Amino acid sequence: MLTLKFGGTSMGSAKNMLNSANIIMQQAKTDRVSVVVSAVGGVSNTLQESIDACMGGQDSSFYVQEIRKIHTTICEELGKENQAFDSNAAIAKLKPIFDEYDRLLSAVSVFKECPLSVHCRIMGMGELLSSPIMACLLESLNQKICLIDSREVIFTTGDQSEGDPDYEKTIAAFAPYLEGEIAPRARILLLPGFVCQYENGKPGLLGRNGSDFSAAIVAVSLKASKVEFWTDVDGIFTADPRIVEDAILVNDMSYEEAMELSFFGSKVLYPKTLAPLSARGIEAWSLNSHNPSARGTRIGVGPFTSRGAVRGISCLKETALINIAGSGLKDKSGMASRIFAAVSRAGISMLLITQSSSEYSISFCVRQNQASKVRKVLEEEFKYEMRAGDINTVDVIDDCAIVSIVGDSMKKQRGIASTFLDSLASQDINILALAQGSSERSISVVIHGSMGDTAVRISHRFFFNTKQTIQVFCFGTGTIGGCFLDQVRDQQKELLNQNIELKVMCISGKTTMLLDKDSIDLSSWRERKNESKTVASVDAVLDLVSKTKPLNPVFVDCTASNDLPSRYLDIFNAGMSIVTPNKRANSMSMDFYRNIRKTANKMHKLFFYETNVGAGLPVMDTLQNMFKSGDHLVEFSGIMSGSLSYIFGLLDEGESFSGAVLKAREKGFTEPDPRDDLSGMDVARKVLIIAREAGMNIELDDVKMNKLFPDDFDDSGSTDIFLKNLPKLDEYFDTKVKSLAKEGKVLRMAAKIKDGVCSVGLLEVDSQNPLYVIKGGENAFVFHTARYNPIPMTIRGYGAGAAVTAAGVFGDVLRTVSWNRE
């Protein structure tokens, strides 16, 4: 016998129910299964909300209609998805429950009170509604099932709404099903979770996470070999993935580890669920119904091997620290027992207890909503000692968090406590109290609640300090690409000291490439690439990534190719991040611009292109953060070409235009054909990218290109002919420059965004304009925004050169790691 339990998310829609049904059928092929189902996701909360609202006098009809709508909609959707599913028949089976809910909730609304038995009846209806739907679905899929009412086989005592199982009576009730006396042909025994029968036949509940507890009780009663808890995550992680993005999935965990983590807030199975399984050696598995092929996490008899002593980190929030101190506690027997007895009589459980070695004080934690009650009972218990001054007032520190590290192997390794405390100290987190169990399986600290998440993140970093890796696949070995690879080579050792292992797996030129699944030795990469016979191929890279599955593959496009960016979508879909100085992708069609980002987000990959616009200057990141924080662009102007900055700066100094162009060419500032720079197309792409980042829906053709040369100048022909004709422009520019000088202005080749229009061309700027002083290859970006106005935000610096641009690419590559250890 195998027991399966499906949570609310696995039952939350027709699609999810079908998915869960497929899992049940698959498991039923090899073993008889018992299945426990929770309420449809969100229904239990709605039921509790309906009770609270109706006790306040609100009309019940809204909630009755809401519950009916949720379940009838699922039935109707199942009918559309599966023609064999009779939605009308399924809804008919739910009608008696809807009617009972209507009657009970109407009474609550009228009398403005909800007796405990009524509360239990209403709160259990979510499971009583979901289980018949699943039964009908499985029957429509030709499965032999038996729907069992849990209220007829699970019996409890103690608290009616959080009962303790009467195992003797429960096991006896399940015996006919186990021995085949009832439903012998049924391969699937289906039960609603959470509900049970309390003493004297009253309705009962199994408390918080009661459906999990139901599954454990069923597993024990039917002698199951294991219990599978199907949720919407792949298993149990080293920390809450919502807090720690790089939390690690745990393959195996002992019962004791799981119970410790669960008790202190981890979203693991609760101790009351694990206890009966542990007592009988029944394994529990945490599995993902949306990803059934994933291994999941096994909870069983430990210890299990692990990469480190700590198995997981948890955080229990909304707690309060109670401290009772005074000389009257020292050397007096029975004082501690009086504290614990008083709290116990109030029906309150202590979460953590610690006492100073001087015996002067005792501290313990309780739930935040119980703190005021604890204070009152302690003040009443020790009122005479307080009057005598033997005990001080009861101190309560509200809004605390208990952060715990847990692991069976902690007692075998020294320095665990010091590492834990060091991690918290690194973030200036103050520890209010500390406790460790005698088993040495856990260490807990009490801190201020606001620091809970930070404490989990930093301690996770310290204990799960796996080496951060980057696997680089570099296309383009020209000026920028070659310089980038040299910088990586020179910095690899230092990065390793910082716990970052950067490996280059591919170096590709235009025709050939180096490709190595382990790593390429960069000491002689140029020679090896020149000797390589391997044809350059993006598909070969994608195939390697698919087979080897590197943890953090980064595709670096250092080419000026028009074709390579068209493969970006394939690269993202292969699970790679992209870093590039190539402007083509971000200046292609707006549809492509959007698809790149959509695909990157879908694949949870990164797309960094800081060097698209300002080489090594921090333009894009600054701009993105500015807009994310709510600012918006009003106007922009910028000199975004080092070559044009150099050329027009020389004109200020009296150099002729032809002379300035030739000097820039000789220094390597321009392309071999200076028209590539003078056309302004490179600047147009940059201003287009800035405009798009600012939210403008604009194409490259929309950028207005103002001509640099007069109409009568012929700029056609070969490069040599163009250079020979350049002196014909000298008089034109000389006249313009001198005329502007008389007005206190200079001539700049720049881009502008104003009133929704992007343009590139000559600007006449005076000394008040930030672009006035930009020359010598320097770039400047002037942003007038809603916040930076009237004084604009100006970013300026050297914006050209291989070393600067390569360094910017390198910086983007390093941003792909989840953290840097200082």
Side-chain angles (χ1 to χ4, degrees):
M1 176 70 74
L2 172 68
T3 299
L4 313 178
K5 183 267 175 179
F6 290 87
T9 54
S10 300
M11 304 288 290
S13 67
K15 180 180 178 181
N16 290 348
M17 276 200 176
L18 277 167
N19 190 45
S20 299
N22 287 329
I23 293 171
I24 295 170
M25 291 190 295
Q26 185 64 34
Q27 300 292 50
K29 288 180 180 178
T30 57
D31 200 353
R32 197 176 185 211
V33 298
S34 51
V35 180
V36 175
V37 294
S38 295
V40 170
V43 165
S44 294
N45 289 338
T46 301
L47 291 172
Q48 182 62 62
E49 182 184 332
S50 71
I51 293 173
D52 295 339
C54 289
M55 286 179 66
Q58 187 170 325
D59 182 68
S60 62
S61 59
F62 168 80
Y63 292 100
V64 174
Q65 291 171 10
E66 182 68 17
I67 293 296
R68 181 181 286 112
K69 179 182 177 182
I70 291 171
H71 294 87
T72 54
T73 298
I74 290 177
C75 290
E76 290 165 357
E77 290 176 352
L78 284 171
K80 295 175 183 177
E81 295 284 342
N82 175 17
Q83 293 183 351
F85 182 86
D86 188 339
S87 58
N88 291 328
I91 294 171
K93 291 184 177 181
L94 304 182
K95 187 177 183 304
I97 305 173
F98 291 146
D99 292 344
E100 182 184 7
Y101 177 51
D102 190 0
R103 290 193 300 272
L104 292 174
L105 199 60
S106 296
V108 172
S109 180
V110 170
F111 293 103
K112 296 182 177 58
E113 63 179 38
C114 184
L116 185 55
S117 288
V118 175
H119 177 272
C120 291
R121 285 184 185 279
I122 292 176
M123 289 304 299
M125 285 181 175
E127 285 73 13
L128 295 175
L129 287 166
S130 64
S131 51
I133 299 175
M134 178 59 78
C136 291
L137 175 58
L138 289 169
E139 287 173 344
S140 74
L141 296 170
N142 300 317
Q143 299 300 300
K144 292 181 172 62
I145 76 156
C146 175
L147 178 59
I148 304 171
D149 189 338
S150 298
R151 297 171 297 182
E152 297 177 359
V153 289
I154 297 178
F155 301 92
T156 62
T157 59
D159 188 326
Q160 185 175 353
S161 62
E162 194 161 351
D164 298 319
D166 182 338
Y167 280 107
E168 183 178 352
K169 192 173 180 180
T170 298
I171 290 172
F174 271 105
Y177 297 96
L178 179 63
E179 296 165 3
E181 296 175 12
I182 301 178
R185 296 184 180 180
R187 294 287 293 173
I188 301 168
L189 304 179
L190 181 66
L191 302 93
F194 192 38
V195 296
C196 57
Q197 185 179 140
Y198 184 58
E199 298 169 354
N200 301 320
K202 295 179 181 178
L205 300 175
L206 291 171
R208 188 180 183 189
N209 290 88
S211 290
D212 286 351
F213 196 16
S214 296
I217 296 169
V218 170
V220 168
S221 302
L222 293 175
K223 300 180 181 179
S225 58
K226 67 176 180 179
V227 186
E228 295 179 349
F229 294 89
W230 291 88
T231 64
D232 58 350
V233 292
D234 284 342
I236 300 169
F237 288 80
T238 49
D240 189 337
R242 294 170 299 181
I243 299 173
V244 180
E245 293 181 358
D246 54 351
I248 303 166
L249 183 66
V250 177
N251 286 334
D252 302 288
M253 181 177 288
S254 71
Y255 295 116
E256 293 79 9
E257 288 173 325
M259 284 190 275
E260 290 273 7
L261 284 169
S262 174
F263 184 80
F264 287 114
S266 180
K267 302 300 181 183
V268 189
L269 300 173
Y270 282 81
K272 69 178 183 181
T273 298
L274 289 168
L277 301 179
S278 173
R280 292 160 180 82
I282 301 172
E283 285 187 352
W285 285 76
S286 177
L287 301 164
N288 188 351
S289 62
H290 303 302
N291 184 22
S293 62
R295 178 188 184 275
T297 299
R298 173 179 59 171
I299 301 174
V301 179
F304 296 106
T305 58
S306 63
R307 292 192 303 178
V310 175
R311 185 78 66 178
I313 302 169
S314 66
C315 180
L316 181 61
K317 299 178 182 177
E318 297 181 4
T319 64
L321 179 64
I322 313 295
N323 184 62
I324 182 166
S327 58
L329 293 177
K330 186 175 175 62
D331 296 328
K332 289 189 178 181
S333 61
M335 296 299 283
S337 64
R338 286 179 61 191
I339 294 173
F340 302 149
V343 175
S344 177
R345 286 196 300 271
I348 295 171
S349 175
M350 295 182 181
L351 304 172
L352 172 150
I353 304 168
T354 183
Q355 182 175 17
S356 67
S357 59
S358 66
E359 300 183 22
Y360 182 78
S361 67
I362 295 177
S363 300
F364 58 91
C365 283
V366 297
R367 300 280 180 181
Q368 179 62 60
N369 59 8
Q370 299 171 334
S372 59
K373 186 175 182 180
V374 170
R375 185 203 294 269
K376 289 179 182 178
V377 298
L378 289 178
E379 288 176 344
E380 177 64 26
E381 177 71 24
F382 294 99
K383 58 185 177 182
Y384 297 114
E385 288 85 352
M386 288 181 181
R387 289 175 187 172
D390 294 333
I391 290 181
N392 303 331
T393 57
V394 178
D395 293 325
V396 177
I397 302 177
D398 294 317
D399 189 23
C400 294
I402 303 173
V403 178
S404 304
I405 57 172
V406 174
D408 285 337
S409 300
M410 284 171 50
K411 60 184 175 183
K412 299 178 182 179
Q413 186 170 325
R414 295 179 179 177
I416 297 296
S418 64
T419 300
F420 189 24
L421 301 184
D422 285 347
S423 70
L424 301 178
S426 72
Q427 297 296 309
D428 295 325
I429 297 174
N430 185 40
I431 297 173
L432 304 175
L434 183 148
Q436 180 176 15
S438 59
S439 67
E440 299 183 50
R441 184 177 287 112
S442 68
I443 301 175
S444 300
V445 295
V446 184
I447 62 175
H448 292 292
S450 60
M451 299 301 293
D453 289 353
T454 301
V456 172
R457 292 189 188 103
I458 193 63
S459 55
H460 191 278
R461 175 184 295 186
F462 272 63
F463 283 108
F464 299 94
N465 188 17
T466 53
K467 191 179 298 177
Q468 298 294 294
T469 61
I470 309 173
Q471 294 85 19
V472 168
F473 298 79
C474 181
F475 272 58
T477 56
T479 307
I480 295 173
C483 191
F484 163 70
L485 291 168
D486 289 341
Q487 290 179 1
V488 171
R489 176 198 62 207
D490 297 340
Q491 196 66 12
Q492 274 180 318
K493 185 176 180 180
E494 177 59 30
L495 287 173
L496 202 54
N497 292 335
Q498 299 177 34
N499 219 31
I500 299 173
E501 185 177 38
L502 198 160
K503 295 181 177 181
V504 177
M505 323 297 286
C506 172
I507 299 175
S508 178
K510 291 182 179 179
T511 57
T512 62
M513 71 178 182
L514 295 172
L515 187 63
D516 192 315
K517 64 181 180 63
D518 296 318
S519 182
I520 297 171
D521 183 358
L522 296 182
S523 62
S524 57
W525 69 266
R526 286 182 175 83
E527 293 80 359
R528 290 187 58 197
K529 189 190 76 67
N530 291 336
E531 295 169 358
S532 175
K533 303 299 182 183
T534 304
V535 177
S537 168
V538 173
D539 290 324
V541 168
L542 301 185
D543 183 60
L544 178 67
V545 170
S546 175
K547 290 178 179 177
T548 61
K549 295 179 172 57
L551 293 177
N552 184 25
V554 181
F555 190 96
V556 180
D557 176 13
C558 286
T559 72
S561 169
N562 290 313
D563 298 327
L564 187 54
S566 66
R567 299 299 308 275
Y568 281 10
L569 298 182
D570 295 331
I571 294 167
F572 279 129
N573 282 321
M576 304 179 75
S577 297
I578 296 178
V579 169
T580 181
N582 188 340
K583 294 176 281 293
R584 298 305 195 276
N586 281 326
S587 57
M588 292 168 71
S589 73
M590 196 68 198
D591 286 341
F592 187 74
Y593 177 89
R594 293 193 184 100
N595 281 336
I596 290 176
R597 285 149 179 81
K598 181 179 179 180
T599 305
N601 289 335
K602 179 189 73 174
M603 298 303 297
H604 304 289
K605 294 301 169 184
L606 301 169
F607 181 37
F608 291 139
Y609 45 92
E610 184 64 66
T611 52
N612 269 197
V613 171
L617 296 177
V619 177
M620 300 310 300
D621 191 48
T622 302
L623 199 61
Q624 290 165 355
N625 289 334
M626 188 166 63
F627 294 148
K628 287 176 184 176
S629 68
D631 205 354
H632 65 270
L633 187 66
V634 175
E635 184 177 338
F636 167 78
S637 60
I639 294 174
M640 298 184 285
S641 165
S643 57
L644 295 176
S645 168
Y646 181 80
I647 290 169
F648 282 87
L650 290 179
L651 297 187
D652 295 352
E653 300 168 7
E655 181 68 64
S656 66
F657 182 77
S658 61
V661 172
L662 291 173
K663 282 186 178 181
R665 187 171 184 264
E666 289 169 3
K667 289 181 176 290
F669 287 164
T670 72
E671 297 295 329
D673 186 343
R675 285 174 294 188
D676 292 343
D677 299 88
L678 296 172
S679 69
M681 184 51 65
D682 186 62
V683 176
R685 291 184 184 277
K686 292 179 180 180
V687 75
L688 172 69
I689 293 169
I690 288 176
R692 286 177 170 179
E693 294 292 322
M696 294 176 62
N697 188 353
I698 186 172
E699 303 288 354
L700 185 59
D701 290 342
D702 297 327
V703 179
K704 183 179 180 183
M705 303 298 295
N706 297 315
K707 293 185 65 176
L708 175 62
F709 306 136
D711 293 335
D712 59 357
F713 179 74
D714 182 8
D715 62 354
S716 63
S718 66
T719 301
D720 290 338
I721 292 175
F722 173 72
L723 294 175
K724 186 177 180 180
N725 288 333
L726 266 181
K728 296 178 182 180
L729 294 170
D730 289 347
E731 183 179 353
Y732 170 78
F733 279 100
D734 184 59
T735 301
K736 187 176 279 289
V737 168
K738 287 179 179 179
S739 175
L740 289 173
K742 293 177 180 179
E743 301 176 21
K745 297 180 178 179
V746 294
L747 194 63
R748 296 288 180 261
M749 180 71 170
K752 195 172 185 67
I753 302 175
K754 187 175 182 179
D755 299 329
V757 177
C758 297
S759 61
V760 176
L762 294 175
L763 291 183
E764 301 173 357
V765 298
D766 59 25
S767 59
Q768 301 302 309
N769 192 306
L771 301 183
Y772 183 87
V773 296
I774 304 303
K775 59 177 68 177
E778 189 179 12
N779 282 6
F781 302 80
V782 182
F783 296 97
H784 288 268
T785 72
R787 294 173 182 163
Y788 289 92
N789 207 9
I791 299 175
M793 180 180 70
T794 302
I795 302 173
R796 56 179 287 190
Y798 197 58
V804 171
T805 305
V809 172
F810 198 175
D812 274 352
V813 169
L814 293 176
R815 290 170 64 194
T816 65
V817 299
S818 58
W819 55 269
N820 290 333
R821 180 75 179 269
E822 295 180 357

